[in-house]
């Protein structure tokens, strides 16, 4: 199965990450702040001395020069990593930048930028996490989900990532729809999955068929009615949906690993011959 990288998945999902980059670039490099500070980048430069990332650099210009950092407004070789690198760079500058004259509300230029960047990073399935020496880095929210998404067609790949989005919390109908799509995608490989991991196959299809995903298990009088599930709270049912989602990811990874095993076996044969 041909893999797609995350950039392709986001494009297929109509997420224009290059445009998101331009929005952030404008907020950081071009949007005027007030009469004393020109733009947010200048504010970061004024606060640079106390930033953990500075090392031994004496100024932001010195830092950019030393590490050869130069983000262009219209880069020729733009890709998703370019956007992520820009977000990491600016986040670690802006987080230590503050001017009391800005106030502390939503109109604070730093908060405006932070809010926008947080939305972008969240949208593409990433998050910030603390690393060494007070520096923050961007990591995927769910590496397994992204790995699985890379193996799926464009109509399903982003849905796999979307399942983890914070806006999905409590939305059982949307989560159920994604699980139905995943179940349908796994169905042609069910026998193969059973051969690889029979217990996983048994558990997964039990969940598909008994917790109101593929069948109506909630409506009394239905052939597939399950009183235990009907009496379950929405919160508990959502937890079982999330467990099913994680099991789906594991199933796709198991199937994807078949080709990897075949390649390794061929390599072993070639080496031994």
């Amino acid at each position: 199965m041909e893999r797609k990288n995350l950039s392709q998945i986001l494009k297929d999902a109509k997420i224009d990450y290059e445009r998101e980059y331009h929005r952030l670039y404008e907020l950081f490099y071009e949007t005027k702040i007030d009469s004393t500070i020109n733009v947010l980048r200048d504010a970061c430069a004024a606060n640079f001395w106390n930033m953990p990332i500075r090392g031994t650099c004496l100024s932001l210009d010195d830092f950019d020069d030393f590490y050869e950092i130069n983000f262009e407004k219209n880069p020729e070789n733009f890709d998703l990593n370019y956007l992520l690198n820009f977000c990491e760079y600016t986040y670690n500058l802006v987080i230590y930048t503050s001017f009391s004259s800005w106030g502390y509300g939503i109109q604070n230029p730093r908060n405006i930028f932070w809010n926008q960047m947080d939305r972008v990073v969240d949208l593409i399935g990433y998050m910030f996490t603390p690393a060494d020496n007070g520096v923050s880095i961007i990591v995927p929210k769910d590496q397994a989900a992204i790995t699985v998404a890379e193996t799926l067609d464009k109509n399903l790949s982003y849905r796999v990532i979307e399942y983890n989005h914070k806006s999905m919390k409590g939305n059982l109908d949307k989560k159920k729809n994604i699980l139905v799509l995943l179940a349908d995608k796994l169905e042609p490989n069910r026998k193969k999955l059973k051969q690889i991991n029979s217990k996983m196959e048994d558990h997964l299809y039990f969940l598909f068929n008994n917790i109101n995903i593929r069948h109506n298990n909630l409506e009394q009088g239905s052939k597939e009615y399950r009183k235990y599930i009907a009496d379950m709270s929405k919160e508990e049912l959502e937890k079982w949906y999330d467990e099913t989602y994680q099991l789906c990811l594991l199933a796709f990874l198991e199937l994807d690993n078949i080709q990897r095993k075949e390649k390794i076996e061929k390599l072993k044969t070639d080496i031994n011959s």
Side-chain angles (χ1 to χ4, degrees), residues 151-163:
T151 69
L152 302 176
D153 58 77
K154 67 180 183 180
N155 294 324
L156 186 55
S157 57
Y158 186 71
R159 303 299 298 277
V160 172
I161 297 174
E162 182 188 26
Y163 189 98

Side-chain angles (χ1 to χ4, degrees), residues 84-111:
L84 295 176
N85 288 338
F86 176 79
C87 288
E88 279 189 350
Y89 168 77
T90 53
Y91 181 90
N92 283 287
L93 294 176
V94 173
I95 194 174
Y96 294 102
T97 300
S98 178
F99 282 89
S100 58
S101 61
W102 292 351
Y104 300 97
I106 189 63
Q107 295 307 313
N108 182 311
R110 184 183 73 164
N111 294 345

Side-chain angles (χ1 to χ4, degrees), residues 230-247:
D231 292 342
M232 189 177 285
S233 68
K234 288 186 177 181
E235 290 76 17
E236 189 175 358
L237 183 57
E238 183 173 14
K239 288 179 181 178
W240 279 111
Y241 278 11
D242 294 346
E243 289 289 345
T244 306
Y245 168 77
Q246 291 298 328
L247 199 56

Side-chain angles (χ1 to χ4, degrees), residues 185-186 189-190 192-194 196 250-260:
K185 187 68 176 180
L186 282 168
N189 293 301
R190 182 175 179 178
K192 191 178 294 184
L193 180 62
K194 189 176 184 66
I196 302 169
L250 291 174
F252 279 112
L253 291 175
E254 287 273 22
L255 291 168
D256 186 53
N257 201 40
I258 293 176
Q259 294 182 359
R260 187 173 295 106

Side-chain angles (χ1 to χ4, degrees), residues 10 105 123 144 217 260:
L10 295 176
L123 181 67
N217 305 126
R260 187 173 295 106

Side-chain angles (χ1 to χ4, degrees), residues 220-233:
Q220 199 165 8
S222 169
K223 180 181 177 182
E224 306 295 338
Y225 175 70
R226 302 288 183 268
K227 183 179 185 304
Y228 184 83
I229 301 299
D231 292 342
M232 189 177 285
S233 68

